[in-house]
Amino acid sequence: MKLLLLLIFITLSLEAKNREITLILPWKHQFQFAGYYVAKELGFYEKAGLNVDIQEFDLGSDVAKDVSTNRYEFGVGHSFLILDKLNKHPNIVFLNAIHQSSPMVFLSKKREDLKSLADIAGKKVMVSKEQIAGASINAMLFSEHVELDSYEVIEPSFNPVDLINGNTDIMTSYTSNEPYTLKQKGVEYTIFDPKDYGYDFYSDILFTTEEMIKETPKDVDSFREASLEGWKYAYEHIDEAIEIILKKYNTQSKTKQALEFEAETLKELAFKDDVNFGDINPIRLNEIATTYRLLDLVHSNSKVDFNSFIHKQSGDFKFDKQSLEIATRDYKYYFENIYFRLFILTFFIVIFVGLYFKSRMERLLKERTAQLELQNRIFDENISSSKTDLYGRITYVSEAFCKLTGYSKEELISKKNTLLKSEHTPKEVYKDLWLTISSGHIWRGEFKNIKKDGSEYWVKAIISPIFNKEKSVIAYESILQDITLKKVLESFNTKLESEVQKQTKELKQLAITDKLTGLYNRVKIDDELISNYNYFKEFNENFSIIILDIDLFKEVNDTHGHQIGDSVLIEMSKLLTQDVRSTDIVGRWGGEEFMIICPKTDLEHAYSLAQNIRKSIEVYNFPRVGNLTISAGISDMLSNSTLDSLVSKADTLLYDAKHSGRNTVKE
């Protein structure tokens, strides 16, 4: 009997025990995850029969993989999860998107040389591989033609101090975090937000796995509902949520003011008009996935049912922007404001019902109609505009468009817009164009078109999608500006600049080159002597010089003439450049004298080099002259106190070699 009672007690205890659940976050504790803290600390999870452990992100973690492999039951991720599901972890399922828009942006100090995304070229950018592969950041850069190899990527520290100290020029950040630090330190900053370029994606997506939904559907629904209630409470009671974070979840030691800034920023991103809090729209998932595909990040081209990405909401949770405003509104102000609005409304109703106002409105309407007709006529005659359907067929063109292209309206209407396409416009331009407008955003750019007569022309274009009442794209409209003359002038200026640079380079080369031999001249040799001497003084690195002279060269000129003498100097120059090392510097010192500067070379090795040169010349048969010899003097820097003494000693040794029988090297 006692054993039976014990078994019953153990069974009841096990049944009463809450289910152990772990939620893994994509970053450290902060207001970004306040709803989960509130649900845990105020008992929402416990009431749902769950014992939830909330774990901070570790830099070695892979949140999507850890949840997919059932290491943790739930996780929070960014829009990268769409790519993870498509490419790596097909079993993950989305529950809710806590923030309808992502706070991830590019952040820089306010600088004259960083006013646009194009200015990023050549700069240091602190961004992780995951972030640069992410759709919003990647698509924003792609839309502005910023290539990955045009800037230096630095592993992120997630510390805005690196931006302040100049360790990086740009860094990825959350609008809810790092800008507050810069603001507190009085540092002006610039934000490059993907939303401003038409790329607005979900953030902080709560997700689990198909296995969890299949095996414990009640736990999944209970956890989601309790989490949403936690978020509802957190946004309706921001001060209370912040106090919970400060007491139990402030691992980053954030101030109350920083958390308030974060909360207000994220609140603006969590709510959209006519969208229930946390809802995920499969159409929007498709748009994000389309962006990934156009960026060549999706491995499979198979058709995807995006409804299967989302676990359908059970229950009647309702929380939207209007509900939040009502819950947090100052009702005293609200009623005062209502009376004021009623007064204004009544005032205008009285005016509107007056017959005088009615007759005046009719007259104004006629005048306005006439003005609009005039404006439309001016637009048609002066603005190059066209419309196409979703398949690129032209449905409307203005008179100005016809003048620009050389076609009549009858020749253009119902034709594909590829009729005007030039093969000289890069494919990347059209790829970027369709990526932008098919996603429901405005594209701005430049490209070449071709006229009816076959001639090409440049246009600056603004192409916009046209929406129906259901906010679906039904057509496209373009405004074109002829910029052919501008492009011609730009091309001319580029060619002119290239030619100037080429001639400048040639002049610089002539300034340091001996005209006869093609070797360095005395000016260049003097510069190299000074450079090697300065290196010697700083690093104590020895160097040597060889001064050599053609023996009996005066007899060559007297016997064969100066023209043959010049040819001998040219041949001698060729022999010298063949025999020296790649690091040695050869130049014409004057007349028939040459100097060789040997960097990082002591006297012994310089002597060996000089002997090899002497022997090579001794056996060489010069045209019309025959065999010639040289004499040389060698000196190194360690044996001399100054540059002048170095050159003087080598010159003296050359003189000694000349007077001791020639065809000799002296050191």
Side-chain angles (χ1 to χ4, degrees):
M1 185 66 180
K2 289 182 178 180
L3 181 60
L4 179 60
L5 290 173
L6 180 61
L7 289 173
I8 293 172
F9 176 77
I10 292 173
T11 302
L12 290 173
S13 298
L14 289 173
E15 287 178 351
K17 187 178 180 182
N18 288 342
R19 168 76 188 275
E20 298 288 336
I21 292 292
T22 301
L23 170 67
I24 179 70
L25 304 178
W27 190 235
K28 305 295 182 182
H29 290 313
Q30 54 189 21
F31 195 93
Q32 184 181 352
F33 314 110
Y36 307 113
Y37 310 144
V38 169
K40 179 178 175 67
E41 299 305 320
L42 297 188
F44 296 170
Y45 289 139
E46 185 178 4
K47 184 179 178 181
L50 302 174
N51 183 19
V52 178
D53 178 28
I54 303 174
Q55 296 227 357
E56 278 187 322
F57 178 75
D58 183 89
L59 288 179
S61 299
D62 182 338
V63 176
K65 180 180 178 182
D66 288 343
V67 175
S68 173
T69 56
N70 300 313
R71 181 180 179 187
Y72 304 116
E73 287 78 10
F74 297 93
V76 177
H78 307 297
S79 286
F80 309 150
L81 284 172
I82 300 171
L83 193 59
D84 286 328
K85 182 169 177 66
L86 289 170
N87 288 342
K88 296 186 291 186
H89 309 301
N91 66 325
I92 63 177
V93 181
F94 304 158
L95 301 179
N96 292 99
I98 302 306
H99 296 109
Q100 294 292 316
S101 296
S102 173
M104 185 180 292
V105 297
F106 265 165
L107 179 69
S108 74
K109 287 199 294 186
K110 191 172 184 180
R111 292 164 41 171
E112 284 299 311
D113 62 336
L114 261 176
K115 289 185 174 181
S116 68
L117 278 176
D119 297 333
I120 290 178
K123 303 294 191 303
K124 293 180 289 186
V125 180
M126 189 173 278
V127 57
S128 70
K129 292 180 180 178
E130 182 190 42
Q131 291 165 340
I132 200 64
S136 59
I137 293 294
N138 197 335
M140 176 177 69
L141 294 173
F142 183 84
S143 68
E144 294 297 304
H145 313 292
V146 179
E147 301 292 339
L148 179 60
D149 59 1
S150 68
Y151 55 85
E152 179 184 355
V153 176
I154 301 174
E155 190 65 21
S157 66
F158 307 102
N159 190 346
V161 173
D162 283 323
L163 195 64
I164 297 171
N165 294 339
N167 297 331
T168 184
D169 299 307
I170 302 136
M171 68 183 296
T172 50
S173 78
Y174 269 30
T175 53
S176 53
N177 291 336
E178 288 80 1
Y180 177 81
T181 302
L182 298 184
K183 187 176 181 181
Q184 290 300 107
K185 294 182 180 295
V187 178
E188 292 185 272
Y189 55 86
T190 300
I191 287 176
F192 300 103
D193 192 338
K195 290 189 288 297
D196 295 335
Y197 297 82
Y199 302 101
D200 187 8
F201 300 141
Y202 293 121
S203 182
D204 300 299
I205 299 173
L206 179 62
F207 70 103
T208 186
T209 61
E210 293 173 350
E211 292 83 357
M212 274 289 293
I213 295 171
K214 182 178 179 181
E215 295 170 8
T216 58
K218 183 177 182 300
D219 288 343
V220 172
D221 288 339
S222 297
F223 178 82
R224 171 158 68 177
E225 289 167 13
S227 298
L228 290 175
E229 288 296 337
W231 274 109
K232 184 175 185 293
Y233 191 96
Y235 274 127
E236 288 181 348
H237 307 85
I238 287 176
D239 288 342
E240 190 174 337
I242 288 174
E243 288 301 321
I244 291 174
I245 295 171
L246 290 172
K247 288 178 181 178
K248 300 194 67 172
Y249 297 92
N250 196 17
T251 55
Q252 299 189 72
S253 300
K254 285 196 168 190
T255 65
K256 181 178 181 180
Q257 292 75 17
L259 290 170
E260 288 172 344
F261 177 88
E262 182 186 5
E264 292 301 324
T265 302
L266 291 176
K267 185 172 73 171
E268 293 299 315
L269 301 177
F271 296 92
K272 281 184 177 291
D273 292 333
D274 303 322
V275 177
N276 194 39
F277 180 83
D279 279 3
I280 303 176
N281 190 326
I283 296 175
R284 198 168 171 201
L285 290 182
N286 186 21
E287 291 176 354
I288 298 172
T290 299
T291 302
Y292 276 123
R293 291 185 189 279
L294 292 171
L295 293 171
D296 294 326
L297 296 175
V298 178
H299 300 160
S300 171
N301 290 321
S302 61
K303 188 175 181 180
V304 178
D305 178 13
F306 287 92
N307 287 290
S308 67
F309 279 47
I310 309 162
H311 180 50
K312 298 208 177 291
Q313 179 80 38
S314 61
D316 55 351
F317 178 83
K318 178 67 176 177
F319 185 44
D320 55 20
K321 192 172 184 180
Q322 184 178 4
S323 301
L324 177 66
E325 290 173 352
I326 293 172
T328 57
R329 184 173 296 160
D330 182 336
Y331 281 94
K332 182 174 181 295
Y333 171 77
Y334 172 77
F335 284 115
E336 290 176 350
N337 197 33
I338 284 292
Y339 292 136
F340 177 76
R341 291 179 180 178
L342 286 172
F343 171 78
I344 295 297
L345 181 61
T346 303
F347 175 77
F348 276 103
I349 289 174
V350 172
I351 295 177
F352 270 99
V353 297
L355 293 176
Y356 172 77
F357 183 80
K358 180 182 177 182
S359 63
R360 178 160 178 81
M361 283 298 296
E362 290 175 349
R363 187 167 66 252
L364 289 174
L365 181 60
K366 291 180 181 178
E367 293 175 357
R368 183 58 180 159
T369 301
Q371 290 175 355
L372 287 173
E373 290 176 352
L374 177 60
Q375 289 173 0
N376 287 337
R377 189 164 60 254
I378 294 173
F379 179 92
D380 186 64
E381 294 175 355
N382 295 278
I383 304 298
S384 180
S385 173
S386 69
K387 292 180 183 178
T388 65
D389 60 19
L390 293 177
Y391 305 100
R393 289 189 293 264
I394 300 171
T395 58
Y396 160 80
V397 289
S398 66
E399 286 293 338
F401 188 94
C402 294
K403 292 177 184 177
L404 177 63
T405 62
Y407 289 97
S408 66
K409 290 186 177 183
E410 291 74 16
E411 291 173 316
L412 290 171
I413 299 300
S414 78
K415 300 295 191 302
K416 295 275 283 187
N417 55 10
T418 51
L419 175 71
L420 306 170
K421 183 178 177 181
S422 168
E423 63 181 12
H424 294 117
T425 298
K427 294 181 180 178
E428 290 77 11
V429 173
Y430 294 117
K431 182 179 180 181
D432 175 39
L433 190 158
W434 283 106
L435 166 66
T436 303
I437 63 175
S438 63
S439 299
H441 307 295
I442 297 174
W443 183 86
R444 295 176 174 84
E446 299 175 354
F447 52 80
K448 273 187 177 181
N449 268 352
I450 189 166
K451 295 186 178 184
K452 182 179 179 179
D453 62 8
S455 62
E456 291 185 323
Y457 62 99
W458 277 94
V459 293
K460 183 176 183 180
I462 300 175
I463 303 178
S464 309
I466 300 173
F467 301 91
N468 60 15
K469 292 181 179 180
E470 288 74 34
K471 298 183 179 178
S472 298
V473 178
I474 57 172
Y476 303 106
E477 182 177 28
S478 66
I479 302 292
L480 306 180
Q481 178 186 356
D482 188 353
I483 57 168
T484 305
L485 179 59
K486 173 181 172 246
K487 286 293 185 179
V488 170
L489 292 175
E490 286 178 355
S491 176
F492 175 77
N493 288 336
T494 301
K495 290 180 181 178
L496 181 61
E497 183 178 350
S498 175
E499 185 63 29
V500 169
Q501 290 176 350
K502 178 182 176 183
Q503 293 187 10
T504 301
K505 184 177 179 181
E506 291 175 354
L507 289 172
K508 286 181 178 179
Q509 187 63 29
L510 287 172
I512 60 172
T513 304
D514 178 64
K515 185 176 180 181
L516 176 64
T517 64
L519 299 176
Y520 286 137
N521 60 18
R522 181 68 174 265
V523 173
K524 177 63 175 176
I525 289 295
D526 284 341
D527 287 343
E528 292 294 336
L529 282 170
I530 293 171
S531 175
N532 278 270
Y533 178 62
N534 290 335
Y535 193 82
F536 167 76
K537 287 194 297 180
E538 185 172 357
F539 301 104
N540 199 31
E541 188 76 62
N542 192 21
F543 72 96
S544 302
I545 64 169
I546 303 170
I547 300 180
L548 58 90
D549 181 271
I550 303 174
D551 296 329
L552 302 174
F553 183 72
K554 185 174 182 305
E555 293 183 5
V556 174
N557 282 333
D558 292 345
T559 304
H560 300 284
H562 287 281
Q563 190 172 5
I564 298 300
D566 287 348
S567 69
V568 168
L569 292 174
I570 295 170
E571 287 296 314
M572 182 65 69
S573 302
K574 293 178 181 178
L575 291 173
L576 291 177
T577 55
Q578 291 172 4
D579 290 338
V580 299
R581 303 167 303 180
S582 61
T583 56
D584 297 328
I585 302 158
V586 184
R588 187 178 179 189
W589 191 241
E592 66 272 20
E593 286 190 357
F594 299 86
M595 177 182 283
I596 303 172
I597 302 173
C598 307
K600 300 182 181 180
T601 305
D602 58 21
L603 202 60
E604 179 183 351
H605 287 88
Y607 179 80
S608 176
L609 175 63
Q611 284 288 19
N612 289 338
I613 293 171
R614 182 190 65 77
K615 292 175 184 178
S616 176
I617 292 172
E618 181 181 26
V619 298
Y620 184 76
N621 186 21
F622 289 86
R624 305 263 317 256
V625 176
N627 297 111
L628 294 171
T629 61
I630 63 165
S631 297
I634 306 170
S635 179
D636 72 334
M637 197 63 238
L638 281 177
S639 305
N640 294 275
S641 58
T642 65
L643 200 56
D644 287 341
S645 64
L646 171 74
V647 176
S648 177
K649 184 175 180 180
D651 199 46
T652 300
L653 290 170
L654 170 62
Y655 182 80
D656 291 347
K658 284 284 190 183
H659 288 79
S660 61
R662 300 183 182 87
N663 196 20
T664 303
V665 177
K666 290 284 186 178
E667 61 175 326

